Amino acid sequence: MIHLTETKFSATEVAFPQLDEHQLKCVASMATLRRFQDGEALFQTGDRNYSFFVVKSGEVAIRECSSGEVREVATHREREFTGDVDLLTGRPAIVSAFAKGECEAYEICARDLRRLLGEVPSLSDMLLEAFQTRRELLKRSGFVGVRLLGESNSKEIEDLREFFRKNFVPHTFYDVEQADGADLLRSLGHERQDAPVIACNKHVVSKPSLGKIAECLGISRTIRNQVYDVAIVGAGPSGLAAAVYAGSEGLRTLVLDRVGPGGQAGQSSKIENYLGFPSGLSGEELANRGYLQALKFGVEFTSPVGVRSIESAGDELQLSLCTEGTVRARSVVVSTGVSYRRLPVENCGRFEGAGIHYSATSVQARGCSRSTAIVVGGGNSAGQAAMFLSEFAERVLVVIRGDDLRKSMSEYLAKRIDLTANVDVLSHCEVEGLEGDDRLRETTIRNRKTGEVRREGCASVFVFIGAKPHTEWLPPSIARDERGYVLTGPMLRRVGAWTLDRDPCELETSLPGVFAAGDCRSGTTKRCAFAVGDGALAVTCVHQRLAALAAGA
């Protein structure tokens, strides 16, 4: 038997705390007292909308069978509680709970659990920390989760792993080019040409769409037929911040995203200049915390779903979805962010996912072990990537067209790059060629000043060369600047795009009731903290919109 408490992740006290007398009374006041016989299930793997339990007497065993064998991973005793983050996400349980001998437990349904979190702050903090830590401990204890089989250099596999990572889905990847992966693929009734293959919840699917996976895992949710106070399009830092503030202020809030929470910042290996985190935090951790915080306040999330258009319909706004569905809302926050541009080099598209990357996560970094990694770009994202990759790669080359990193990169990052022995900066340079077979093998770099050409054996190039806003889906009624960024607030009067008598809100677009926040908005600094501030300000604008509608203005 493997206990979570036996892993090297030393967070037992955080993951398995006991409720004090006051907290127990708060739970009891909202709960139903249940009695269970030895071996009776409180909930089982795959159960949806399962309950939260606090043990009053006896013991509850937590078991999982993702590897095919039943393992007991934890035991909850008196005043301890069951559950992890999926109590908040509403996804099916990934473990089972059984009475160990006769026991009594207080039961609270998932809906009332959110009310408990809102009304008892000390309990809220304890439960949220425990839920997050338990999920980490479970993954570290050998939990297999969803099994993903395919070729390691496949673009489809990279996209699926990003989807799992952004949606906090525990999974294990099996490379079908290796013996164990090939054997597992055959045992599931498939051949190599069927990859990628996913095995989850007793279902095995070949070449699945993100929509089918999301449905299987309970990530995509049926959108309720109601009018939301605010619909937020995009779940990057600005969208998550807007969701947290809107949810905490009692607004009926829906968040839609094409992939999952995190956005561009969610791919950052380490953000070190975010206020309140002196030792830094990863973009994934920031997204995870923001996501759970929003769920705590009752915000609804659904992904993967794209929005095709926005139309005004009286006092409402209607969003047409790629699923053919429609969302009705009194206000909309557009926080769709940006994506990095491709290298203007032949073969760039061919090697995407097979050597060309637009983020530096642990998945891609492992592929740089004992080799050279090339980072193209001179902004903070490029600097963060270079420092992260330096821990894995034998050496890292940072390729910039200019002569000085400090013209576009924060001083602390530029200084750190200067002091890192295996990171070199190639000034006045650009990538001119990409060569390889089934994946990238060699990169040609030209010095724009001297004309000198050098070839580097390199399996991974990380591209951070400017961004394109995700605004092409917006209707013509929403004004944008020459680069496609959304114009807001006072800018609208200057370009003649605002016709109402009242002044637009600071983040309001030329379509009243639609607000833009974060990197997709014209004039932003492309910093994470700026995006979060935009998200908070957007909710102030939403309140103004709702107040005007209520007054009949």
Side-chain angles (χ1 to χ4, degrees), residues 166-178:
K166 283 196 168 184
N167 288 281
F168 316 107
V169 177
H171 68 282
T172 302
F173 171 65
Y174 297 88
D175 189 345
V176 297
E177 296 179 298
Q178 304 297 322

Side-chain angles (χ1 to χ4, degrees), residues 372-389:
T372 296
I374 294 176
V375 175
V376 185
N380 275 9
S381 294
Q384 290 161 358
M387 293 309 305
F388 179 62
L389 294 168

